[in-house]
Amino acid sequence: RDKVSTLLLFGATGDLAHRMLLPSLYGLHADNLLPDKFRIVCTARSELDDDQYRASAVEALKEHVPGSFYDPKTALIFSRRLSYVAMDATKPEGFKRLAKTVDPDAGLAIFLSTAPSLFKQTIDGLASAGLCGLRVRLALEKPLGTDLGSSREINDAVSNAFPEDRTFRIDHYLGKETVQNLLALRFANSTFEPLWDAAHIDHVQITVAETIGLEERGAYYDGAGALRDMVQNHMLQLLALVAMEPPAEFDATSVRDEKVKVLRSLRPMRPDDVGTHVVTGQYGDGAVGGQPVQSYEAELGKDSATETFVALKAHVDNWRWAGVPFYLRTGKRMAARKTEIFIQFKCVPHSIFASRGARTKANKLLISIQPEENIRLLVMAKTPGLDREGIRLREVPLDVGLADAFADHRRRIAYERLLLDLIDGDPTLFVRRDEVEAQWHWIDGVRAAWNEAGLTPMPYGAGSWGPSAAIALTERDGVHWHD
Ligand code: BG6
C-alpha cells in the first residue's frame, strides 16, 4: 500500500481536532507508528503562526491525552511535526499557499474536519490548486448531508475530484476496538455463527445511551436530532455488523459489500407502523449522576421540536433475519452512558426441568462497547443444593472482560486506528458511498413516515431511560430493554 508523507488537516482549531485528532496523532507518534518525517499541516481561519499553533496543540494534548500516557517531552517533539497555514476555505488564495507547502506527489492525506457546508468549496479549491492527484486521499467527517439528496450532492462534489477508492468517509464507531471485536466474535469463533439467525435469535437490541446534553452544539444538533445524528450512521453501522453475512475476507470490498446488503434489506417504515415502531423524545429538566441539569430547550435557549431520543423497531428483510426485530434506541441525557448490543436467543424447545418447578431463561449475549469493553454470555446453571423442594436454575455470566484480558494493551482512541488506516491507505473501516446512501434512504423513509403520522417528541426527564412509550414499544412484544 502507498503510505502518505503528509496529513493536511482542515478545521485544525476545532473541537474534534483538539479532543480527538491531535491526541490520536500524538498516540501514533508516541508509539512510533507515524512514518519518519511525517508532517501534519494544519489549517483554519485563525491568524496563527507555527509556534502559536504548536503551543495551542500542546495545550490540547495536555488536556485530552489520557493522564498516564501524556509526556511533555514527547508532546514537544510531536508538535514539531505540526505546521500551520491560516486560510479561508471559501477563497482561492489560501489553496495556492497550501500548494506551496505540501507536495501531493509525495503522498498526501487530506482530512476535512470542518462544517459540511464548506466541503464543496474546499474540494473545488483543492482541485484548482492541483491538490487532488493520484497520491492524494480525502477523509470526511460526518454529517454527510441531512438527507439522501444533500448527501448525494456532497458525494458528487467529492467524486468529481476523488475517486471512491481514495475517499475515506469516517464513522468513528468503526474505529472502536470492541466494534471490530464484534467481527472477531462472529467470524473467528465457530460457536456463535451457526446460531446467528432467526431460528435461534429472538431479537436484537442496540443501545447508545449518553449522559451528555447539547454541549454547545445547538446550531448543528437542533437541525439534526437523534435519528440523523446517531441512528443514520453509528447505529446502522452496528446493525449492519451484527446482521451481515460472513464476508469472504476481511478486506474493504468484501466487508462493505456485505454491510450494504443488510442496509438495503431494512424494511421501509410505513406511516401505519409508526405508532408501534417509533418513539421519539426530548429531555426536560432532571438530574444526571446526582447533578441537576436543564432541559434541552433551556440549554438551546429556544423552543424546539427536535428529538434527543429515538427508539425504533427495525426489521432486516432477508432469509437470515426474517421475523427478528432489531430494537434500536439512543438518547442524550440518559440515566447512564452505555453502548451495547444485546442478543436474546430463543428458549430451549422443551424444558426438562419444568416438572421439577424450575424456570429456564433463554440465553443472552451482551456485547458492551463502552464504557465497559466486555462480552458476556448469560447461561443457565443449577443453584447448588439438594433439590428436595425442586430444582432451582439461575442465570450466570460467562465474561470475556476485554480490558482485563488485554490489560497489557493501551486503550486507544478510535481515531488512532482510523488515522493510521488513512495514512496506510486501508479503507476497510471507512464507509463506502453506497452504504451512506442506503443509510440515508432508510432514514429519510422513517422521517417521512413519522411526519405523515404526526409523531412529536415526548418529554422525558433528564437522567431517565427515555419516555415511557419507549418501554411500551418493546413490552408490547413481550420484550424488556436490557438496562
Ligand atoms: C457523534 C455525535 O457522532 O457521536 C455526538 O455527533 C455523539 O452527538 C457522539 O455524542 C458519540 O460518540 P461516542 O464515541 O462518545 O459514543
Side-chain angles (χ1 to χ4, degrees), residues 171-232:
D171 184 314
H172 77 279
Y173 268 54
L174 297 180
K176 290 183 192 275
E177 199 61 63
T178 331
V179 172
Q180 292 157 38
N181 232 317
L182 179 57
L183 295 185
L185 180 79
R186 287 193 59 194
F187 303 128
N189 294 293
S190 56
T191 2
F192 295 107
E193 208 43 34
L195 307 177
W196 211 258
D197 58 21
H200 301 93
I201 290 180
D202 179 77
H203 72 269
V204 176
Q205 299 180 19
I206 302 178
T207 296
V208 183
E210 298 187 280
T211 50
I212 56 171
L214 200 48
E215 300 220 298
E216 293 163 21
R217 293 165 79 222
Y220 152 73
Y221 191 86
D222 199 53
L227 186 73
R228 291 175 173 133
D229 183 51
M230 296 296 284
V231 183
Q232 185 273 338

Side-chain angles (χ1 to χ4, degrees), residues 107-125:
L108 177 64
I110 302 174
F111 194 117
L112 301 190
S113 167
T114 57
S117 54
L118 292 174
F119 285 174
K120 189 171 172 339
Q121 278 168 313
T122 310
I123 291 162
D124 291 348

Side-chain angles (χ1 to χ4, degrees), residues 296-365:
Y296 176 76
E297 290 185 338
E299 264 186 80
L300 185 67
K302 59 175 187 186
D303 291 354
S304 167
T306 297
E307 82 286 357
T308 61
F309 172 95
V310 58
L312 290 161
K313 176 172 158 183
H315 292 273
V316 178
D317 280 339
N318 63 18
W319 275 45
R320 189 190 278 259
W321 295 112
V324 179
F326 284 72
Y327 300 100
L328 315 181
R329 77 181 156 160
T330 183
K332 299 239 180 243
R333 288 283 191 232
M334 297 192 58
R337 166 167 156 85
K338 69 168 184 181
T339 299
E340 66 180 32
I341 297 166
F342 176 80
I343 314 274
Q344 169 80 60
F345 288 94
K346 291 193 167 162
C347 281
V348 290
H350 165 73
S351 171
I352 63 165
F353 302 105
S355 56
R356 300 280 207 107
R359 256 187 68 214
T360 317
K361 287 188 183 172
N363 296 139
K364 304 172 178 80
L365 178 68

